[in-house]
Amino acid sequence: QNQHLIQEFGLHPSLEELPALILVRGSVKDAVRFVGIPDPVARKPPDWSDEEDGDWEPPMLLEKNADILARWLRLNGVYIPSSGTIFELDEMVQRYLKHGLLADFTAAQELAGGKYKDEVQAPIYLKLLEKVKSQSKGSEYVRKELNRLDRVLEGHLSPEKRKEIDEKRTILESLQKLPEL
C-alpha cells in the first residue's frame, strides 16, 4: 500500500529497511533518513592517536527511542523540547537571554517558584537566571557554562554529582538550541 513512498524515497522494500524514519522538510529530494546519531556523551579516549588509529568518531546510537529521535530531530533543525526540561521555562529564559527584559526574568521566576515549584528542574532554572542576570552575558554564559561542565564531567564524580551536572547540561543545551524568539 505504500509502494509509491518506497520508490519515492529510494528504499529497498526488504524488511531490514522498513519501517524507515524520514524527515521531509520542503522537497523529497532534501529528505533526511534516520541512520542513528553520534553518541553525545562519548569522549575521545585519551590514548587515541589520530595518526595511528585514524580520525576518532563517536559510536552511533541506533535505537529508535524518544530521546534519540528527539536529538536526531534537533540535529536536523526541528525544535523538540528535551526530556528533563520545562518548555515554558525554556522559552521564558530564552527571551530573557535575548532581550534582557526584567519582565521576562520576573515571569520566569514566578513560573519556576509557582506552577513548576515541585519540578526537580525548577531550581536549576532559577540559579541559571540569577547567574545570567548577575553576569549580564546571556547566551555567552550558556556556551561558557556548557564548556565548563564538559570539563568537569571528564573528571571523577560521584553518581549523584554526575546526575546533577547532566540535568543542568540538558537545560543549558535546550536553551542553546531553541529557535530565536
Side-chain angles (χ1 to χ4, degrees):
Q1 65 183 343
N2 292 321
Q3 292 303 315
H4 69 286
L5 292 174
I6 291 171
Q7 288 177 332
E8 194 171 357
F9 292 109
L11 300 172
H12 190 277
S14 68
L15 292 179
E16 291 88 39
E17 286 206 2
L18 299 176
L21 298 173
I22 300 170
L23 175 63
V24 180
R25 299 179 72 185
S27 73
V28 172
K29 68 180 179 183
D30 296 327
V32 179
R33 184 168 181 198
F34 176 81
V35 291
I37 62 167
D39 185 345
V41 296
R43 301 286 181 253
K44 183 177 179 178
D47 59 345
W48 188 276
S49 166
D50 287 339
E51 293 170 3
E52 202 175 293
D53 302 317
D55 290 337
W56 183 82
E57 293 181 11
M60 296 295 284
L61 301 175
L62 304 173
E63 185 180 349
K64 295 173 184 168
N65 65 37
D67 284 336
I68 291 174
L69 292 175
R71 281 184 187 268
W72 174 68
L73 288 169
R74 276 188 232 103
L75 288 170
N76 285 287
V78 177
Y79 179 71
I80 301 287
S82 298
S83 61
T85 65
I86 302 169
F87 182 68
E88 200 172 358
L89 280 170
D90 283 350
E91 288 183 321
M92 198 70 61
V93 172
Q94 180 68 18
R95 274 200 301 274
Y96 180 71
L97 290 173
K98 185 175 182 185
H99 303 291
L101 299 175
L102 186 59
D104 292 327
F105 179 85
T106 305
Q109 279 186 313
E110 287 172 3
L111 276 174
K115 181 177 179 181
Y116 297 109
K117 70 179 186 245
D118 296 328
E119 298 292 330
V120 175
Q121 301 90 348
I124 298 171
Y125 281 96
L126 289 172
K127 193 171 182 179
L128 170 66
L129 278 167
E130 289 295 334
K131 292 237 180 179
V132 168
K133 184 179 178 194
S134 69
Q135 295 184 14
S136 302
K137 296 191 181 176
S139 298
E140 183 183 335
Y141 168 78
V142 173
R143 184 183 50 77
K144 285 183 176 181
E145 185 66 1
L146 278 167
N147 289 336
R148 185 187 76 79
L149 292 175
D150 282 342
R151 289 190 305 274
V152 170
L153 284 170
E154 290 173 4
H156 297 287
L157 302 168
S158 70
E160 296 83 19
K161 190 65 175 174
R162 185 168 299 277
K163 182 178 182 222
E164 178 185 324
I165 290 173
D166 283 339
E167 288 170 351
K168 186 174 183 180
R169 280 194 94 266
T170 298
I171 291 170
L172 289 166
E173 284 175 343
S174 75
L175 293 173
Q176 193 174 46
K177 291 180 173 116
L178 273 171
E180 290 295 317
L181 299 170

